[in-house]
Amino acid sequence: PNSAMLAQFFVLSPRGDTIITRDYCGDSIRGTAEVFFRKVKFWTGDAPPIFNIDGMHYIFVKKSGLFFVVTTVVNVSPA
């Protein structure tokens, strides 16, 4: 089994375009960035910095309009 903590890292533009992407496990679901952006865009109010969709944990920071996102399927501690 793959013991990588992070599955993916990506940077998205304010429009949701993928600027940078890196897949660390090779077994991640395609379209993860699109799923993330759609969820954040249509969230009521501000999206929390950590949330889960179908077993995939999304952790992000928004800086200068860009979304810096990592995903993991491992249950990670926020500390």
Side-chain angles (χ1 to χ4, degrees):
N2 194 339
S3 62
M5 172 88 70
L6 298 179
Q8 294 175 308
F9 167 76
F10 48 88
V11 178
L12 300 178
S13 74
R15 291 183 7 204
D17 300 318
T18 302
I19 298 171
I20 298 171
T21 186
R22 175 72 194 251
D23 187 349
Y24 294 101
C25 295
D27 58 359
S28 298
I29 300 168
R30 292 254 220 212
T32 309
E34 291 81 10
V35 170
F36 165 81
F37 187 73
R38 195 171 24 236
K39 190 70 168 181
V40 169
K41 184 176 179 183
F42 293 110
W43 202 284
T44 303
D46 289 335
I50 302 172
F51 58 89
N52 182 305
I53 302 173
D54 298 329
M56 179 72 72
H57 301 284
Y58 294 85
I59 305 162
F60 80 98
V61 173
K62 186 175 182 183
K63 187 73 172 170
S64 300
L66 299 176
F67 293 95
F68 296 85
V69 186
V70 294
T71 64
T72 182
V73 293
V74 179
N75 193 7
V76 295
S77 171

